[in-house]
Amino acid sequence: EINAMVRGCKHQGRLFQAALNEEEVKLYSNMLKRVQGILDLAQELGVRVMIDAEWTDIQPAIDHITIFMQRIYNRGELPIVFNTYQTYLKGMPTRVQRDLDRSRREGWRFGAKLVRGAYMVSERQKAEERGLESPICETYEKTEENFHKAIDVILAHGEDPSAGACGGAAAEVLVASHNRYSIERTIQKMAELAVRQDRVGFGQLMGMADHLTYTLARYGYRSYKYVPYGPVDEVVPYLIRRTQENSAILGSPSVQEERQMVGSELLRRLRPI
């Protein structure tokens, strides 16, 4: 194994320090077994599993495991495993294209969830403390551009019979966004490229942008509500982090629009008949 070979190096540099010790290898092996247990059940039930993204320090390991699982479970009638791409990271559309090419070359179905990202503040702070360039786009507009470019390259990844049944399959994507413009733009792009509705899903957090979720569902699009689930002592801190990391968007036009709609509905209900 590469890990054992690295651990045997005489020079104990950064690569040696990154290698796993025996206990970590055991923990890693047990984790893979648990993940495969979930994916075996998902494959049996014919449902998709979307593996979430995290901060950049640990994301390479998540990507490694996710692609490993995609090679195993995305060779059937549908992609079981979806990777998550955070488009506030510089160069993300290029990475999406790289993985699209990889799936076609290796013969498995591509599935992705696209998000803007939730660790903007902490990622910039860590980069500054380490004297490194920030991995985060400098402006919201650049993040928006990345988000739309990534959507476009996935939608353009249509069927290619010459690449086989799985590798030649059209890519699937979940567009995770509360931004009405991004959703409308995606639907317009789908129409331009004649993309089937079953290739694209849309997701919003429970309790947010309901007007988008329900409208999409009404017109036959795959629409989902994301529900944080787990022990209270783990879920509440997660929700607090999400609020802190996303506080910058609370004044955005989409949030203001939703506030206005909620206010109008409250007034309508409170007015006497």
Side-chain angles (χ1 to χ4, degrees), residues 53-66:
E54 295 295 339
W55 56 96
T56 53
D57 285 351
I58 65 173
Q59 189 58 45
I62 296 173
D63 290 336
H64 171 74
I65 294 168
T66 304

Side-chain angles (χ1 to χ4, degrees), residues 123-134:
E123 290 284 11
R124 285 176 173 163
Q125 182 179 353
K126 284 188 294 184
E128 183 178 357
E129 291 172 352
R130 297 168 181 174
L132 301 173
E133 178 186 352
S134 172

